[in-house]
Amino acid sequence: MSRTTETHTTPPLPWWRVRMLWLVLGGPAAVVVASFATLAIAILNPDPVLQRPVAATASEQPAVQARNHAAAPRP
């Protein structure tokens, strides 16, 4: 009694038909697209430059300097 083993091999799928590949590549590709969208938003809508407040009179100058000193971050 001779036993023959028949192996049925399916042809390999092309790389673009493998679902796991799209899960692996899809995340980083979405991050790249989102980063370019964020860059476009940043370039098209820049933040305005704020002017420093200036004391109206010489007598207000110490108060403005004290406020600026208190608001400054400590090293």
Side-chain angles (χ1 to χ4, degrees):
M1 186 181 242
S2 121
R3 195 182 261 191
T4 60
T5 57
E6 294 180 20
T7 58
H8 297 283
T9 59
T10 58
L13 291 173
W15 67 268
W16 64 86
R17 304 275 296 187
V18 179
R19 292 181 183 169
M20 183 60 75
L21 175 77
W22 291 110
L23 286 175
V24 171
L25 295 180
V31 170
V32 169
V33 170
S35 68
F36 281 113
T38 304
L39 177 65
I41 291 169
I43 289 173
L44 295 175
N45 301 312
D47 290 335
V49 177
L50 300 177
Q51 300 296 324
R52 290 184 161 222
V54 180
T57 63
S59 63
E60 294 176 358
Q61 187 63 28
V64 172
Q65 286 178 349
R67 186 197 64 214
N68 290 343
H69 180 69
R74 295 184 185 193

